[in-house]
Amino acid sequence: MRHPPRSVLLAVAGAVALVGSALVPVVSASGATPACTVRYTVTGQWDTGFQASVILTNNMAAMSGWSLGFGFANGQKITQGWNAKWSQSGTTVTAANESWNGSLATGASVSAGFLGSWSGSNAVPTAFKLNGTTCNVDSEPTPTPTPTEPPGTGAAPALHVSGTKLVDAGGTAHRLLGVNRSGGEFMCVQGYGIWDGPVDDAAIKAIAGWKANAVRIPLNEECWLGLSNVKPEYGGANYINAVKDLVARVESFGMTPILDLHWSYGQYTGNSAGCSDVHATCQKPMPDAQYSPSFWSSVAGTFKDDPAAVFDLFNEPYPDRATSTTTQAWQCWRDGGTCPGIGYEVAGMQDLVDAVRSAGAKNVIMIGGLAYSNDLGQWPAYKPTDPAGNLVAAYHVYNFNTCASESCWNSTLAPVAAQVPLVAGEIGENTCSHGFVDQVMKWFDDRGLSYLGWTWNTWDCSSGPSLISDYNGTPTAYGAGLRDHLQAVNS
């Protein structure tokens, strides 16, 4: 779905509970205020890789350019970074300002981050220099971090692709039938919290009570990466740990978590633009090369030991609204780069598949097509290469979409479903009824395909659309159709 209603944001911040974060202790100065302070935090770590955040505060005179230097003690290597020009020579690392964040006033801070590799040990740096001036020299020694435990797989099935079906570890076909749980894509970047409403055991048990077996979880790349425009309490390690906690809870009820990159960075003001903001505050036509591969490298590294987790690469691509030809749109979709009509460098679906697989994750990957994932017409022809052979075509359909009829599904979806597994990641209607989704579910049921209703949030069903009126699972008139159908199919 393109835009969660802003009305859902009223007074929810106080109700959001954050999961405690297992951060590496911060390197901080004691005694007199030093010339500069550096907060270095490992925000995620797995067996061969890690993600780190660096927050630099300048306590000297204002400067128009900055360069931060530090050293690694255990042979760590930076593989990619953001919000700074990162370079490494041997053990020495340098982070220099970008053209847009070089001004650093007295008392001002700037944050940057990176992904890196490690082996054996991953001690945090203990000495930092800003433009040659030493920071934090009187800090206490910092212990080596403990590797983050991978999330448990719980009772949820380990999934992989076999021909045109999703199957569990025993080879039994498995359909994903469930709901979307919106909130993680917008609450954090708007400064209200992480989730929209409760995600505790009772709340997730209510979803399972509808006989759902899958929950799609929209995410925000700037919040996951902990970029400077996101409040620290809602970004970086706090956000990552909250997502990990929700994934573990969903799996503990036997349901498949689907992690979806929903909102991303990059300024787009062309046809059908959702906002003019460069930040991840709305749906963009395509993922961005600056942050989206880093997001997926980190997410994949975090969940690569959890075969129950599914990755949905990008919510609703719409490069077709920016380009002049369908061929250009599909080329942009797969290959990224400089795309006609899009002002930022694009990460193509192949780039994101590569980011996931390079992190060592073999998880099932869902990929939506053009026209907000409503057009899969040339999906098979432009299908990215996947060494793991675990790609799924993702489709979204609402009553107001172009391809919203049985004749269109027969002509465009059936040929795709004859080649790869097909999952309708979002189905819904804005009528506060369920006549349309009833038709969708029947067509998908008849072919053994998967679908998830939008959305498990207490919004106005005519503008959301919302499945529930409270988080105990009381359905709206629209949601009753999905609930009754899931309980009949999965009972």
Side-chain angles (χ1 to χ4, degrees):
M1 196 70 183
R2 302 178 204 174
H3 308 291
R6 295 304 184 264
S7 60
V8 305
L9 302 178
L10 298 177
V12 294
V16 175
L18 295 181
V19 181
S21 56
L23 300 183
V24 175
V26 172
V27 179
S28 59
S30 58
T33 301
C36 47
T37 57
V38 175
R39 177 186 174 95
Y40 180 106
T41 308
V42 174
T43 57
Q45 184 168 295
W46 47 99
D47 44 5
T48 59
F50 70 105
Q51 178 177 331
S53 166
V54 177
I55 301 177
L56 163 66
T57 301
N58 172 38
N59 297 317
M60 299 180 284
M63 54 186 67
S64 58
W66 53 267
S67 176
L68 178 69
F70 59 88
F72 283 132
N74 306 118
Q76 300 97 320
K77 298 289 185 183
I78 290 180
T79 56
Q80 54 186 297
W82 49 91
N83 282 8
K85 297 174 181 175
W86 293 90
S87 60
Q88 183 171 352
S89 177
T91 61
T92 302
V93 175
T94 302
N97 65 273
E98 296 279 10
S99 59
W100 44 268
N101 65 356
S103 179
L104 204 57
T106 303
S109 299
V110 63
S111 67
F114 64 88
L115 297 177
S117 61
W118 70 288
S119 176
S121 186
N122 188 19
V124 304
T126 57
F128 300 87
K129 286 189 176 184
L130 171 61
N131 291 354
T133 300
T134 302
C135 311
N136 296 349
V137 290
D138 54 350
S139 61
E140 296 180 357
T142 326
T144 301
T146 301
T148 304
E149 289 296 321
T153 57
L159 298 176
H160 65 276
V161 171
S162 178
T164 61
K165 302 294 183 183
L166 282 172
V167 299
D168 62 19
T172 301
H174 185 83
R175 299 169 69 198
L176 299 177
L177 304 172
V179 302
N180 285 261
R181 181 62 177 88
S182 183
E185 74 272 37
F186 65 87
M187 289 290 285
C188 56
V189 77
Q190 293 175 350
Y192 291 93
I194 293 180
W195 308 117
D196 172 36
V199 291
D200 56 9
D201 281 341
I204 305 307
K205 184 178 180 180
I207 298 176
W210 278 30
K211 299 297 183 181
N213 68 15
V215 180
R216 185 168 175 262
I217 305 168
L219 300 177
N220 185 300
E221 70 182 19
E222 292 189 329
C223 298
W224 181 280
L225 294 173
L227 301 191
S228 58
N229 59 297
V230 178
K231 291 181 178 179
E233 58 266 38
Y234 306 140
N238 287 329
Y239 186 84
I240 292 169
N241 283 327
V243 173
K244 288 167 63 177
D245 183 70
L246 178 54
V247 165
R249 187 168 286 122
V250 166
E251 291 181 356
S252 74
F253 285 94
M255 297 185 291
T256 296
I258 302 172
L259 298 169
D260 148 52
L261 174 53
H262 212 82
W263 282 5
S264 54
Y265 183 88
Q267 188 170 41
Y268 174 71
T269 58
N271 184 26
S272 301
C275 63
S276 59
D277 191 359
V278 68
H279 290 296
T281 57
C282 69
Q283 174 70 30
K284 304 299 172 65
M286 281 292 289
D288 62 293
Q290 187 167 352
Y291 296 121
S292 297
S294 299
F295 167 87
W296 275 118
S297 293
S298 179
V299 172
T302 301
F303 293 103
K304 71 185 182 70
D305 294 321
D306 179 6
V310 172
F311 302 152
D312 191 348
L313 290 188
F314 193 69
N315 175 45
E316 292 182 344
Y318 59 99
D320 48 294
R321 300 297 179 95
T323 60
S324 57
T325 71
T326 302
T327 297
Q328 287 179 336
W330 279 109
Q331 288 173 342
C332 175
W333 178 87
R334 183 188 61 195
D335 302 329
T338 302
C339 294
I342 301 176
Y344 56 89
E345 186 178 356
V346 167
M349 298 305 155
Q350 185 68 64
D351 297 321
L352 301 188
V353 170
D354 292 346
V356 169
R357 299 305 182 220
S358 295
K362 298 179 180 178
N363 304 59
V364 170
I365 292 175
M366 293 167 51
I367 312 179
L370 303 184
Y372 303 95
S373 294
N374 187 241
D375 176 9
L376 299 184
Q378 297 187 45
W379 196 99
Y382 286 89
K383 175 185 176 182
T385 300
D386 177 22
N390 267 340
L391 296 188
V392 171
Y395 176 70
H396 292 187
V397 65
Y398 293 85
N399 58 308
F400 48 81
N401 287 144
T402 300
C403 186
S405 65
E406 188 169 346
S407 61
C408 185
W409 304 331
N410 288 336
S411 63
T412 65
L413 294 189
V416 176
Q419 300 181 55
V420 294
L422 174 62
V423 176
E426 294 182 16
I427 66 171
E429 59 187 287
N430 59 0
T431 65
C432 282
S433 184
H434 53 81
F436 176 73
V437 294
D438 288 348
Q439 297 174 38
V440 175
M441 291 187 291
K442 183 182 187 308
W443 193 90
F444 275 69
D445 284 342
D446 289 346
R447 290 154 183 82
L449 305 175
S450 304
Y451 48 83
L452 298 95
W454 182 275
T455 175
W456 190 274
N457 297 74
T458 55
W459 304 340
D460 179 352
C461 64
S462 65
S463 61
S466 171
L467 294 165
I468 54 172
S469 57
D470 61 55
Y471 287 99
N472 295 320
T474 303
T476 60
Y478 153 68
L482 181 69
R483 180 201 62 180
D484 294 349
H485 191 78
L486 291 179
Q487 289 179 344
V489 170
N490 285 336
S491 60

